[in-house]
Structures are given as structure tokens and as C-alpha cells.
């Protein structure tokens, strides 16, 4: 009886797994696609001082055959804020995503993500597109005590 239940359970698991694979839509060969310039989808600030807001502009091109529409972009924390184009990026055209990182009160290593929700073709195995910033923030010197 246990063997029958086990066999039946394995058969159901196989059917469910196959059904999920079969339900995946076929890739759109005309889908929009990001192609980031220069250093790609990761920018290294190197060593930067604590205090000012660090900024990097990610330039990209739509190398697909349909317009690329970015619905939303969010930072992995409140200290990382992106600005992105609100209008569609036509095939063959370029655009920019600007990422701001607030260094104030955040000395130490940086490794942050910006999650991009769009209609672009995603890299294999990904459920959203990500770009990254990294670097190290050096602690600001303590303020001098007022003279008496």
C-alpha cells in the first residue's frame, strides 16, 4: 500500500512539474532588451567620503525590436534611489538610469541593487533586471569641539 501511494505521489509530482514547464510562455524574439554601456550593469564608486550623495548614470540601449518600457525602479534600501525614463525607449535608442546613494551615516562597504520592472527580455534564470553599485564609504572626521 505504501509503495502504491509513493508511486502515485511521484506520478502527480511529475505531471505538475511538466505542466509548469509547459505553461511558460515562449520567449518573444522581438522583445526589448537592455544593453548597458561602459562597465555594464555594475558601477564601482571606489572609495568615497561620507557625507555627499554619490551618483552614477547607467547608460543603456534598447537592442530589441520593440519599445522598452520601464514601469518602475526601486533601490534595495532607502539610501539608494533611482531615476528612470518614463517614456518608451524605441528600438536602437539609448536612455539613462541615474542612481543616487546617500553616504551620510553609512561608512563601510557598499553593495546595493536597483530592481527594474520592465517589459525587457530578462537574463536567464532572473525574474527581474538588476543593476548594482558598490564601493567603500570612508568615515567623516569628527567635528572639532568649539574653542572656549
Amino acid at each position: 500500500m505504501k509503495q502504491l501511494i509513493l508511486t502515485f505521489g511521484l506520478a502527480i509530482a511529475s505531471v505538475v512539474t511538466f505542466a509548469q514547464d509547459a505553461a511558460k510562455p515562449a520567449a518573444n524574439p522581438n522583445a526589448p532588451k537592455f544593453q548597458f554601456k561602459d562597465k555594464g550593469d555594475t558601477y564601482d564608486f571606489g572609495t568615497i567620503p561620507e557625507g555627499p550623495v554619490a551618483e552614477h548614470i547607467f547608460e543603456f540601449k534598447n537592442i530589441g525590436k520593440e519599445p522598452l518600457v520601464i514601469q518602475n525602479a526601486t533601490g534595495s534600501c532607502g539610501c539608494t534611489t533611482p531615476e528612470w525614463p518614463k517614456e518608451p525607449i524605441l528600438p536602437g535608442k539609448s536612455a539613462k538610469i541615474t542612481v543616487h546613494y546617500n553616504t551620510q551615516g553609512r561608512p563601510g562597504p557598499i553593495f546595493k541593487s536597483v530592481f527594474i520592472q520592465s517589459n525587457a527580455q530578462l537574463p536567464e534564470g532572473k525574474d527581474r533586471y538588476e543593476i548594482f553599485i558598490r564601493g567603500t564609504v570612508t568615515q567623516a572626521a569628527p567635528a572639532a569641539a568649539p574653542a572656549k
Side-chain angles (χ1 to χ4, degrees), residues 98-127:
T98 304
V99 177
H100 305 275
Y101 178 72
N102 183 0
T103 64
Q104 187 63 46
R106 295 179 176 86
I110 304 167
F111 190 79
K112 302 294 179 182
S113 301
V114 172
F115 308 109
I116 303 169
Q117 294 174 306
S118 73
N119 64 333
Q121 180 181 356
L122 296 171
E124 185 69 32
K126 299 285 185 174
D127 60 353

Side-chain angles (χ1 to χ4, degrees), residues 32-43 56-64 68-70 72-74 82-85 89 92-99 113-118 120-123 126 128-133:
K33 187 174 180 181
F34 286 103
Q35 181 182 52
F36 283 90
K37 295 181 180 178
D38 299 326
K39 301 188 190 258
D41 58 4
T42 301
Y43 180 74
H56 178 69
I57 298 172
F58 288 90
E59 294 183 53
F60 65 91
K61 183 176 185 178
N62 175 6
I63 60 170
L68 189 153
V69 178
I70 299 175
N72 196 16
T74 55
E83 295 175 29
W84 66 95
I89 298 94
K93 298 297 181 183
S94 296
K96 301 173 184 177
I97 297 173
T98 304
V99 177
S113 301
V114 172
F115 308 109
I116 303 169
Q117 294 174 306
S118 73
Q121 180 181 356
L122 296 171
K126 299 285 185 174
R128 59 187 171 187
Y129 207 94
E130 291 180 75
I131 54 178
F132 307 94
I133 57 170

Side-chain angles (χ1 to χ4, degrees), residues 13-27:
S14 301
V15 169
V16 168
T17 302
F18 179 74
Q20 287 178 352
D21 287 342
K24 289 181 184 177

